[in-house]
C-alpha cells in the first residue's frame, strides 16, 4: 500500500522567534519534495517535528498525515517514518550485517528469513558478502548505502532526508543521491529532503518549498 505524506498548517517557533508559519505540503508516493533554506531557517527542526522527536523547547502546531492517518500525536517508533541524517550513524560495535538486522521490521521473523533479507539488502547496495565486515573498514559511500538499507529494512511508509549528501564529495554525492532516489521510487515512498544545495533540489525533481 502506498501513502502520501502531508503537512497541514505546520507552525514552529521557539521563544518569540517564528521559524515556520502555516506550512502546507503534500508529497506523493515515489516523489521527492525539497525544503530549502539557509542555516537556522528551521529545516532540521521541521524534520524533527515530522519524525516525532522535536525538542520540547520548540512550540509546534499543525498536523502530519501518512495517507489518511494523523500521526502527529504518535511516538516516533509508531509513525512508520524512516530518517536518514548527515552522519550514517552505523553502530561501531556491530558488524555490517548486525547493523542491518537492527533495522529489520518486527514483522520479519525467523533467523533464516532475516538472514536472507539482510543478504538481499547488501546485494542491492552493491555490497554482497559484507555481513561480517566491520563498519570502520567501509568507505564513506559504502557506509552511506548501508545506512540507507538499514532504514529501508524497517519498511517505512515515508522517508525523511536531513542533508544526507552534504558530507560526500561531488562524485559520491551524485551517485548516492541517485541511489537513494531510485530506491525510494521503487518502493513508492513519499520523500522529504532538506538541503541547502540547489543541485539536490534539481535532482529530486519534485515540489520545492523555501523557508
Amino acid at each position: 500500500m502506498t501513502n502520501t505524506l502531508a503537512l497541514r498548517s505546520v507552525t514552529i517557533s521557539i521563544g518569540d522567534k517564528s521559524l515556520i508559519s502555516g506550512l502546507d505540503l503534500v508529497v506523493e508516493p515515489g516523489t521527492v519534495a525539497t525544503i530549502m533554506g539557509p542555516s537556522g531557517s528551521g529545516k532540521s527542526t521541521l524534520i524533527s517535528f515530522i519524525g516525532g522527536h522535536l525538542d520540547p523547547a520548540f512550540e509546534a502546531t499543525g498536523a502530519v498525515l501518512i495517507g489518511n492517518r494523523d500521526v502527529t500525536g504518535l511516538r516516533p517508533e509508531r509513525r512508520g517514518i524512516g530518517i536518514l541524517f548527515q552522519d550514517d550513524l552505523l553502530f561501531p560495535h556491530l558488524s555490517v550485517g548486525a547493523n542491518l538486522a537492527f533495522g529489520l521490521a518486527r514483522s520479519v521473523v525467523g533467523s533464516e528469513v532475516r538472514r536472507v533479507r539482510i543478504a538481499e539488502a547488501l546485494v542491492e547496495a552493491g555490497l554482497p558478502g559484507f555481513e561480517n565486515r566491520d563498519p570502520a573498514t567501509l568507505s564513506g559511500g559504502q557506509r552511506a548505502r548501508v545506512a540507507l538499507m538499514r532504514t529501508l529494512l524497517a519498511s517505512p511508509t515515508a522517508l525523511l532526508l536531513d542533508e544526507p549528501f552534504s558530507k560526500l564529495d561531488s562524485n559520491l554525492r551524485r551517485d548516492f543521491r541517485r541511489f537513494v532516489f531510485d530506491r525510494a521510487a521503487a518502493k513508492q515512498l513519499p520523500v522529504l529532503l532538506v538541503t541547502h544545495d540547489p543541485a539536490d533540489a534539481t535532482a529530486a525533481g519534485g515540489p520545492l518549498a523555501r523557508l
Side-chain angles (χ1 to χ4, degrees), residues 5 46-48 50-53 64 66 69 71 75-85 89 103 147-162 164 180 184 189-194:
L5 167 65
L46 177 63
I47 290 290
S48 295
I50 298 169
H53 48 272
V64 179
I66 304 292
R69 187 170 69 112
V71 302
R75 294 178 61 83
E77 64 271 17
R78 295 190 59 203
R79 297 190 180 205
I81 298 175
I83 306 178
L84 206 60
F85 296 100
L89 302 180
L148 174 67
M149 299 315 296
R150 182 177 63 181
T151 299
L152 296 180
L153 281 172
S155 298
T157 53
L159 182 62
L160 306 178
L161 305 175
D162 191 359
V180 173
L189 293 175
V191 180
L192 183 62
L193 165 70
V194 299

Side-chain angles (χ1 to χ4, degrees), residues 2-208:
T2 57
N3 293 302
T4 57
L5 167 65
L7 307 180
R8 302 296 189 198
S9 302
V10 173
T11 297
I12 303 176
S13 61
I14 183 167
D16 58 359
K17 181 181 180 181
S18 176
L19 296 176
I20 298 170
S21 181
L23 176 63
D24 290 298
L25 182 65
V26 176
V27 188
E28 298 292 341
T31 299
V32 182
T34 304
I35 301 288
M36 292 193 69
S39 297
S41 62
K43 301 188 303 297
S44 292
T45 303
L46 177 63
I47 290 290
S48 295
F49 172 71
I50 298 169
H53 48 272
L54 184 65
D55 190 299
F58 292 89
E59 294 185 11
T61 59
V64 179
L65 290 86
I66 304 292
N68 294 322
R69 187 170 69 112
D70 188 337
V71 302
T72 316
L74 299 182
R75 294 178 61 83
E77 64 271 17
R78 295 190 59 203
R79 297 190 180 205
I81 298 175
I83 306 178
L84 206 60
F85 296 100
Q86 287 185 19
D87 297 312
D88 54 67
L89 302 180
L90 297 182
F91 299 115
H93 62 291
L94 297 179
S95 67
V96 168
N99 265 280
L100 291 174
F102 187 86
L104 277 168
R106 291 182 179 180
S107 59
V108 181
V109 296
S111 59
E112 180 60 17
V113 174
R114 294 171 67 85
R115 185 194 68 77
V116 169
R117 291 288 182 87
I118 290 168
E120 290 173 344
L122 286 172
V123 169
E124 190 173 346
L127 302 170
F130 274 53
E131 285 89 343
N132 296 322
R133 287 281 293 270
D134 183 334
T137 68
L138 303 185
S139 68
Q142 290 172 333
R143 291 175 63 94
R145 294 200 299 276
V146 171
L148 174 67
M149 299 315 296
R150 182 177 63 181
T151 299
L152 296 180
L153 281 172
S155 298
T157 53
L159 182 62
L160 306 178
L161 305 175
D162 191 359
E163 301 201 56
F165 317 125
S166 62
K167 293 189 174 182
L168 301 174
D169 65 37
S170 58
N171 288 333
L172 280 177
R173 184 187 188 101
R174 183 185 63 248
D175 292 345
F176 182 55
R177 185 172 59 205
R178 189 72 269 153
F179 181 80
V180 173
F181 292 169
D182 286 349
R183 296 306 172 284
K187 295 180 181 296
Q188 283 295 287
L189 293 175
V191 180
L192 183 62
L193 165 70
V194 299
T195 185
H196 62 272
D197 189 338
D200 289 342
T202 300
L208 171 64

